[in-house]
Amino acid sequence: MYDYLVVGAGLYGSVVAHEAARRGKKVLVLDRRAHIGGNVYTEEIDEIHVHKYGAHIFHTNDKEVWDYVNQFARFNRFTNSPVANFHGELYSLPFNMYTFNKMWGVVTPEEALAKIEEQRKEAGITVPSNLEEQAIHLVGTDIYEKLIKGYTEKQWGRPCRELPAFIIKRLPVRLTFDNNYFNAQYQGIPIGGYTKMVSRMLDGIEVRLNTDYLEEKERWNQSARRVIYTGPIDEFYGYQLGALQYRSVRFETERLAIPNFQGNAAVNYTDAETPWTRIIEHKWFEFGKDADGKEIPHTVISREYSSEWQPGGEPYYPVNDESNEALYRRYRAMAEKEEKVVFGGRLGEYKYYDMDAVIASALAFCKKSWS
């Protein structure tokens, strides 16, 4: 008999498992994948830590969370400054004075703001009702058409007019030359990769990989006093109310015998014609150097392709529109009646979480459980 059965070795599950074990609880962690770490898993390919499930840059303003993760890893000083590629034209992201100068030739914040205001008025948008209107309201028509529309519609598989405005409300827009995408006090990548960090969280805890909890759910439930479930909430209930919608991502990763492919960790392809949404060059998350600080003479890139999720695939981004939120609330009502199962994390709560928010949520659960 275990005190806690944790289903999923991602960030939420690993934090809860660590905190439970630290308090003397007997813990078992299951994961259907062949590795720990969930979507933050990094694998080493010829001395390069490859973000297998897409780029993950840790960023937070929460000092408690920052101090917590620094128990398990030392973080480098990586700053996320992606580049947008529109048919070969390169623009700085997030949208800042470099972007506005390249787009319109303006050189002062006043000129940039005037140009945005002019295009906003031409569009006649006062209260944005969808993502397209919200984007034009924020940055004008030109930037929307070149740098937002194609990328967003590839990513979500829907016209921008059919997407809710809130998706883009947090889009950084700066009338400065600051090209740090995240407005966060703490930011970086774990030196040695995320897998190393999660491994330290789970040190000394029993972990079983390649094990699908749902195949023998009742048997596993009987083996523990409490179950922490971080998988898809609708799958837990056999999709009996219907399947929640997600966007999924497919990756094409290749090693190249050249030292530098694109000169940046992330380049977004914002035109509609390019089939991938972005290319990640993983070595630049660690400044192109190996563990000894030597330059790596080769590189590894990943092209990302967004697609609609189908059962059996890997769910990434919840589609938090009204119909999906209504369906989730029905599943949530069922979950609240569970006596021993707790649902947490991105899939268990059907919520797009940044990494720091996942950890904060897990810590909040632990404090409530053991206060």
Side-chain angles (χ1 to χ4, degrees):
M1 174 64 73
Y2 295 91
D3 295 306
Y4 283 85
L5 172 67
V6 178
V7 182
L11 287 177
Y12 190 99
S14 297
V15 168
V16 173
H18 176 83
E19 291 302 304
R22 189 170 69 84
R23 291 167 170 83
K25 309 296 183 183
K26 188 177 181 183
V27 181
L28 172 64
V29 177
L30 305 180
D31 201 296
R32 72 171 96 187
R33 291 176 176 174
H35 59 75
I36 61 172
N39 279 8
V40 303
Y41 171 70
T42 48
E43 64 178 343
E44 188 171 316
I45 299 178
D46 290 344
E47 301 182 286
I48 296 172
H49 296 109
V50 174
H51 296 222
K52 186 171 181 178
Y53 301 97
H56 286 83
I57 298 103
F58 199 93
H59 58 97
T60 187
N61 284 313
D62 189 328
K63 189 173 187 304
E64 180 185 8
V65 169
W66 182 246
D67 289 343
Y68 187 81
V69 295
N70 273 268
Q71 297 177 87
F72 311 104
R74 189 162 60 91
F75 284 73
N76 67 21
R77 58 173 180 80
F78 179 81
T79 298
N80 189 30
S81 300
V83 172
N85 183 322
F86 179 81
H87 292 305
E89 297 176 21
L90 301 181
Y91 293 88
S92 179
L93 295 176
F95 305 130
N96 58 37
M97 286 303 299
Y98 291 115
T99 318
F100 305 141
N101 174 263
K102 178 74 178 285
M103 185 69 68
W104 299 313
V106 299
V107 295
T108 68
E110 185 178 19
E111 291 173 325
L113 195 58
K115 193 70 178 177
I116 293 171
E117 184 61 29
E118 173 191 323
Q119 295 191 355
R120 185 186 292 159
K121 286 182 178 178
E122 287 177 357
I125 298 166
T126 52
V127 180
S129 61
N130 55 51
L131 189 148
E132 178 177 289
E133 293 179 356
Q134 180 67 49
I136 294 172
H137 186 76
L138 282 171
V139 290
T141 307
D142 291 341
I143 289 177
Y144 166 71
E145 291 290 343
K146 279 193 172 184
L147 305 184
I148 297 175
K149 187 175 188 292
Y151 181 88
T152 304
E153 292 185 350
K154 285 189 293 187
Q155 185 179 36
W156 291 98
R158 294 159 175 75
C160 287
R161 291 179 181 176
E162 295 179 11
L163 291 167
F166 76 82
I167 289 177
I168 209 166
K169 278 187 176 179
R170 293 191 301 166
L171 183 73
V173 180
R174 302 191 182 122
L175 295 172
T176 67
F177 289 90
D178 179 8
N179 62 351
N180 178 359
Y181 193 87
F182 298 121
N183 186 21
Q185 186 173 359
Y186 310 105
Q187 181 177 168
I189 303 285
I191 295 172
Y194 283 99
T195 305
K196 185 176 179 180
M197 182 184 82
V198 175
S199 178
R200 287 175 173 169
M201 287 183 179
L202 296 174
D203 185 39
I205 297 171
E206 184 180 353
V207 178
R208 300 188 194 182
L209 302 175
N210 298 304
T211 303
D212 192 337
Y213 158 82
L214 294 178
E215 289 182 355
E216 296 184 271
K217 183 170 66 173
E218 294 309 316
R219 181 176 77 84
W220 285 118
N221 285 352
Q222 291 171 14
S223 73
R225 293 181 175 85
R226 203 165 196 191
V227 176
I228 310 300
Y229 177 79
T230 68
I233 189 171
D234 52 345
E235 187 179 9
F236 180 91
Y237 290 107
Y239 306 108
Q240 61 184 267
L241 302 178
L244 291 163
Q245 289 183 304
Y246 297 88
R247 292 295 289 173
S248 191
V249 185
R250 176 175 62 85
F251 302 91
E252 289 182 355
T253 298
E254 58 180 316
R255 180 194 185 280
L256 302 175
I258 57 174
N260 193 347
F261 176 76
Q262 63 187 18
N264 202 51
V267 175
N268 293 2
Y269 286 76
T270 61
D271 59 271
E273 292 73 26
T274 302
W276 53 82
T277 54
R278 63 178 175 176
I279 297 179
I280 301 301
E281 189 167 5
H282 301 270
K283 68 186 292 184
W284 300 124
F285 289 126
E286 297 182 87
F287 314 111
K289 295 181 171 63
D290 63 17
D292 297 323
K294 297 177 182 177
E295 299 289 339
I296 299 175
H298 51 270
T299 194
V300 176
I301 65 168
S302 295
R303 292 179 175 86
E304 297 187 12
Y305 299 81
S306 187
S307 62
E308 200 72 14
W309 173 81
Q310 300 293 335
E314 196 63 51
Y316 279 79
Y317 308 110
V319 181
N320 294 118
D321 58 17
E322 291 183 10
S323 61
N324 280 291
E325 284 299 306
L327 179 56
Y328 167 68
R329 286 193 293 271
R330 293 174 65 197
Y331 276 119
R332 184 69 204 170
M334 296 170 66
E336 288 171 353
K337 296 176 183 177
E338 297 286 342
E339 292 185 2
K340 65 158 58 175
V341 182
V342 176
F343 294 77
R346 174 178 56 94
L347 303 177
E349 298 177 57
Y350 194 65
K351 183 176 182 179
Y352 182 75
Y353 269 125
D354 285 333
M355 288 182 285
D356 63 326
V358 168
I359 291 169
S361 176
L363 290 175
F365 166 77
C366 294
K367 289 175 183 176
K368 182 179 178 182
S369 298
W370 301 303
S371 58

